[in-house]
Amino acid sequence: MNKEKIYTVFERKDPMKFTIVITTYNRLNLLKRAINSALEQTIKCERIVVDDCSTDDTEEYVKSLGDKLIYHRTISNEGHAGAINLGVKNAQGDWVKPMDDDDYLAPHCIEEMTKAITLHPQVAILSCQAAQVDTNEVEISRTRKTGPGTAFYIPQEDIHYGMLLELVPFGTPIQVAFRRDAFLESGGWDTNLTHCDDVDSWIGIAEFGDAIFLNQCLTYRTIWSGAYNKKIPLQERCDNNILMKEKIYARVNKKYSNLIPYIGNIRRYMKLHWGIVALKQKQLLIALKLLLPVAFYPQAWKLFLEAITSRKQPNKNANLRKYILID
């Protein structure tokens, strides 16, 4: 299926259908909250739980809920990417809302996403604000607002430029929804990646349509010591983030060729960022390894400071010029 056919598929008159795909592994206590939030959605949607070969009582619990959920279990432990791919493959919805078992949704999440997509059917990917909460569901922080209005779309030709300069924060899976056919056409999640497999997927999906960002807090991400990303070494996280930047860089529309920084400076900026993260976490050896080669490059510091400024003043960027309000 080529990109033109994908656009044609979504010029439809019948109601759009969402599938919520919840991936889980040995976290039944957290999974129950995620499932409840999926069941409490204000509009009808399909709900799938993909169990990555758990050894606890996950299968028994999910099956006890009857036809409220569709249950799939992997043959062996395939990891997060493999579980997501299985769930999307079996989904019947036009759109997929992925969820990790330690996150949850606001009751009106799917309804608000559906409203926004209906107004712009050529969209392939959507993101929203998320609240970061602790284990007691107390809000710690919230994803920044991005662009004008409550809901706006970004034309496809501008997406990768916005991703490269961190002006379009698609974020973690709990923030994002995507068109199922665009996900499948782009190849799904790369099971060889141990980190950034979600971002890698967003990069590919963004080639098949426009994007929407909702300045509404519709999802909740739990920040805790048991989160999967906490187990990944900082050096590996840095290396994977650099890889993502390189993939995005290669896809930036040619009209931005005179605006994007040199890729070498972007790599240095990423090492600077993760070196500072290592310092904050008191991982001094990693911090020195990352910071010493790049600390004296002014362009790396310039990109670092611009990223901080754009997060604090997201509406003042003039380069991403085609935001169009849809509310």
Side-chain angles (χ1 to χ4, degrees):
M1 184 184 290
N2 61 32
K3 295 180 186 179
E4 289 186 2
K5 289 182 180 178
I6 286 180
Y7 278 105
T8 302
V9 166
F10 273 81
E11 292 174 357
R12 54 187 302 147
K13 295 182 180 179
D14 53 311
M16 182 197 322
K17 184 178 180 181
F18 252 94
T19 297
I20 299 172
V21 174
I22 307 172
T23 53
T24 188
Y25 176 65
N26 283 346
R27 288 177 172 175
L28 180 56
N29 59 325
L30 291 166
L31 175 64
K32 291 178 180 179
R33 180 182 64 180
I35 288 175
N36 286 339
S37 75
L39 295 176
E40 291 171 354
Q41 292 303 299
T42 54
I43 63 173
K44 185 179 179 180
C45 55
E46 182 182 49
R47 305 167 183 94
I48 292 176
V49 173
V50 181
D51 178 2
D52 195 20
C53 218
S54 295
T55 57
D56 60 10
D57 295 327
T58 292
E59 181 173 4
E60 180 182 358
Y61 175 76
V62 176
K63 288 184 175 179
S64 74
L65 298 174
D67 60 3
K68 294 178 181 179
L69 298 162
I70 298 171
Y71 177 79
H72 293 284
R73 181 180 174 88
T74 58
I75 297 173
S76 60
N77 188 262
E78 298 182 7
H80 195 205
I84 280 283
N85 290 339
L86 177 61
V88 177
K89 179 182 177 181
N90 286 282
Q92 297 299 308
D94 308 311
W95 276 76
V96 173
K97 177 72 201 75
M99 289 181 64
D100 292 341
D101 51 15
D102 55 351
D103 299 330
Y104 56 104
L105 307 174
H108 59 303
C109 176
I110 302 301
E111 181 177 2
E112 292 300 320
M113 290 183 171
T114 299
K115 287 178 182 177
I117 295 164
T118 301
L119 292 173
H120 194 68
Q122 279 73 36
V123 164
I125 188 168
L126 175 149
S127 188
C128 69
Q129 285 185 286
Q132 288 76 47
V133 299
D134 63 19
T135 53
N136 295 315
E137 301 184 10
V138 175
E139 184 171 332
I140 301 169
S141 60
R142 184 171 293 198
T143 309
R144 73 183 189 272
K145 290 187 175 182
T146 303
T150 302
F152 60 95
Y153 90 86
I154 306 164
Q156 193 280 328
E157 62 183 5
D158 296 340
I159 296 173
H160 291 106
Y161 171 77
M163 292 180 74
L164 183 71
L165 298 187
E166 300 172 17
L167 306 170
V168 181
F170 287 126
T172 58
I174 193 59
Q175 292 175 244
V176 174
F178 49 79
R179 236 173 45 205
R180 178 177 179 271
D181 63 342
F183 176 94
L184 296 174
E185 188 72 11
S186 64
W189 283 23
D190 187 343
T191 56
N192 294 314
L193 288 172
T194 57
H195 180 243
C196 290
D197 44 8
D198 52 354
V199 177
D200 182 64
S201 181
W202 314 155
I203 294 168
I205 291 171
E207 296 196 73
F208 293 92
D210 301 338
I212 289 178
F213 194 93
L214 294 177
N215 282 317
Q216 301 178 65
C217 186
L218 302 174
T219 62
Y220 298 85
R221 181 187 178 202
T222 305
I223 305 299
W224 66 301
S225 59
Y228 292 127
N229 64 344
K230 298 292 185 181
K231 302 174 184 178
I232 302 170
L234 282 179
Q235 180 67 61
E236 186 175 342
R237 294 173 71 181
C238 177
D239 292 343
N240 282 335
N241 274 269
I242 290 173
L243 176 62
M244 294 305 108
K245 288 289 189 182
E246 291 171 344
K247 286 190 173 187
I248 297 168
Y249 194 93
R251 290 168 171 80
V252 173
N253 190 283
K254 291 181 180 179
K255 73 179 184 180
Y256 289 113
S257 58
N258 293 327
L259 294 174
I260 58 176
Y262 168 57
I263 187 62
N265 288 328
I266 292 176
R267 294 189 188 105
R268 295 183 184 107
Y269 151 63
M270 294 307 298
K271 290 181 179 180
L272 181 64
H273 167 82
W274 286 101
I276 291 172
V277 171
L279 270 181
K280 290 180 178 178
Q281 296 185 8
K282 299 181 180 179
Q283 298 187 37
L284 298 183
L285 290 178
I286 295 296
L288 288 173
K289 182 179 178 181
L290 291 171
L291 289 174
L292 283 179
V294 301
F296 299 102
Y297 280 89
Q299 288 301 316
W301 283 102
K302 181 175 182 290
L303 290 173
F304 180 78
L305 294 173
E306 285 177 351
I308 293 175
T309 301
S310 70
R311 293 181 192 121
K312 292 181 178 179
Q313 298 176 318
N315 294 331
K316 292 191 176 181
N317 177 62
N319 291 331
L320 204 58
R321 54 181 174 73
K322 284 191 174 181
Y323 287 128
I324 300 179
L325 299 179
I326 63 173
D327 64 332

